[in-house]
Amino acid sequence: MSGSYPHTRLRRVRATAWSRAMHRETILTPADLIWPLFVTEGEGVEQPIASLPGVSRWSVDQIVVRAKEAVDLGIPCLALFPHTQPERRSDDGKEALNPDNLMCRAIRAIRDALGDSVGLLTDVALDPYTSHGQDGLIDDAGYVLNDQTVEVLVGQSLNQAAAGADIIAPSDMMDGRIGAIRDALEDDGHINVQIMSYAAKYASAFYGPFRDAVGSRGLLKGDKKTYQMDPANTEEALREVELDLAEGADSVMVKPGLPYLDIVRRVKETFEVPVFAYQVSGEYAMIEAAVAAGAGDRDALVLETLLAFKRAGCSGVLTYHAAHAARLLNG
C-alpha cells in the first residue's frame, strides 16, 4: 500500500452516504436470496413453529401464496421441505418415492399457479420420511447404509424432477450420490435440472429448530456424525466439494452458514464455482432471540449477516429471513 497520512485519509470516502454507496465493494439484492418453506397437510393451514419465531408450516394452497409473494419481492427461488405425517413415515422412507407426496404436490401447485416465474429447489434426503429420523436407510446397529440409501435417493430425485423441480439439492451426505443422481437425471431426460449439492454439510448443533419444523427431532435415534462432517475439518470439505463437482454438481452449498464463512471462502477461491450457504434454523433463532432480548435491531442484524455471506464469496444464501430482507432491500 502506498501513501501515508495525511495525504491518504481513508475516512474521506466514508464522509457521505453517496460516497459510501459509490465505493461499496459488496452488493446484496433480493436476487441473492433463496427462501426455505415448510409444507404440511391440509387446506388453509398455517402452523407456527415455536422454536422458529415468525416461521410457519403451510398447507399446499398457502405455499402457493408464499410463492407469489416471493415473485413479487424479487426472490428467485424457493427451497421446499415437507412435514410428513407420522403415519406416512417408515424405516425405509418409502413416502419419498410417492409421486403424490407433499413435496410433489407443492411443486405441481406452484408450477400450475406461477409457471417458471420462480425456481424450485427440493431437498433430497430421507430424514423427513424415516421413522428413525436418519437421512438414510439403517442396519440393525443403526448405522446408515451408504449404497442402499443412494438407490433410494436416486428414485426420490427422479420423483421430484418429474413433478417439476428445477434444482435437486441432496442434503444427505452419502458418498457417490451426486454422480448417481446426475446419471439418472440424464437418462430420464431431465437434462436441465440442476444439482445443488450440500457438499460441505457439518454435523452441527445449529439444526435443532429445523428438526422441529419437519417433525424429526423426537424421532432421531443417535446422531449424524458418521456421514455429516466434523466441524473441525477444512481440507475434508474441499475434498467433498471436488468430488461432487466431478460427479456433476452445478453448484455447491456450505451448511451451516455464518460459523463456516472460512469454508465458503476456501471453496470459492479453490474452485471458482457458484457457492451457496444455508443460514440455518439455529442461526435464524439466535437473531430472533437477540431481538426479543433487546440486544439488537432485527433489520440491521439481518442485513449485516446476509452481506457477510456475499462478502465471503457466496452466490446466494438460503435464509428464513428472505422475505423480510427482500422488503428491506426493496425499501
Side-chain angles (χ1 to χ4, degrees), residues 202 250 313:
Y202 288 84
D250 300 286

Side-chain angles (χ1 to χ4, degrees), residues 13-309:
V13 299
R14 304 177 201 148
T16 57
W18 66 262
S19 181
R20 291 191 296 273
M22 190 169 70
H23 289 85
R24 190 161 293 135
E25 299 174 26
T26 305
I27 304 297
L28 179 70
T29 76
D32 298 316
L33 307 176
I34 298 174
W35 190 7
L37 293 169
F38 298 103
V39 192
T40 194
E41 294 284 357
E43 186 173 347
V45 173
E46 177 185 0
Q47 297 175 344
I49 302 163
S51 56
L52 280 173
V55 177
S56 297
R57 305 183 195 98
W58 303 93
S59 53
V60 170
D61 59 308
Q62 294 302 305
I63 282 287
V64 172
V65 176
R66 303 283 79 71
K68 291 177 179 177
E69 182 181 354
V71 171
D72 291 342
L73 290 170
I75 297 170
C77 189
L78 305 176
L80 301 179
F81 300 91
H83 177 252
T84 304
Q85 299 304 301
E87 64 272 15
R88 292 187 175 272
R89 288 177 173 266
S90 60
D91 284 352
D92 59 4
K94 64 181 180 181
E95 179 66 10
L97 305 179
N98 178 2
D100 201 37
N101 65 24
L102 263 176
M103 181 75 88
C104 292
R105 279 184 277 141
I107 295 168
R108 289 194 296 267
I110 295 170
R111 279 280 167 266
D112 290 345
L114 295 171
D116 292 329
S117 59
V118 67
L120 297 179
L121 180 153
T122 54
D123 178 61
V124 168
L126 298 186
D127 52 321
Y129 306 99
T130 55
S131 52
H132 45 71
Q134 293 287 1
D135 290 31
L137 308 180
I138 59 174
D139 63 16
D140 291 341
Y143 183 78
V144 174
L145 301 166
N146 192 92
D147 296 1
Q148 296 91 324
T149 296
V150 170
E151 291 181 14
V152 182
L153 299 176
V154 167
Q156 182 183 15
S157 299
L158 292 176
N159 192 31
Q160 294 175 357
D166 297 295
I167 306 174
I168 299 297
S171 64
D172 56 284
M173 289 297 286
M174 298 297 112
D175 292 334
R177 89 275 202 215
I178 300 301
I181 292 170
R182 173 55 69 204
D183 287 345
L185 289 171
E186 290 288 322
D187 291 345
D188 214 44
H190 301 294
I191 61 172
N192 286 326
V193 173
Q194 301 175 38
I195 297 177
M196 182 188 293
S197 169
Y198 286 66
K201 181 177 179 179
Y202 288 84
S204 172
F206 285 90
Y207 300 150
F210 175 90
R211 291 172 184 165
D212 291 337
V214 298
S216 66
R217 188 203 285 263
L219 302 175
L220 182 61
K221 298 177 174 65
D223 56 43
K224 302 189 178 186
K225 294 179 180 179
T226 67
Y227 50 100
Q228 294 178 359
M229 285 182 53
D230 186 335
N233 293 355
T234 299
E235 300 303 326
E236 184 184 14
L238 299 182
R239 293 180 67 193
E240 289 278 7
V241 169
E242 184 175 21
L243 285 168
D244 286 0
L245 291 172
E247 291 178 18
D250 300 286
S251 57
V252 295
M253 189 194 304
V254 174
K255 181 182 179 182
L258 209 61
Y260 294 85
L261 292 185
D262 59 317
I263 308 300
V264 170
R265 172 55 67 182
R266 286 288 303 276
V267 170
K268 187 64 175 180
E269 291 180 343
T270 302
F271 299 103
E272 297 181 334
V273 297
V275 182
F276 293 79
Y278 199 144
Q279 187 180 40
V280 299
S281 58
E283 298 175 66
Y284 172 93
M286 288 172 62
I287 290 176
E288 291 302 310
V291 172
D297 174 76
R298 178 182 288 107
D299 296 356
L301 290 171
V302 167
L303 293 182
E304 184 176 342
T305 54
L306 293 176
L307 192 66
F309 287 107

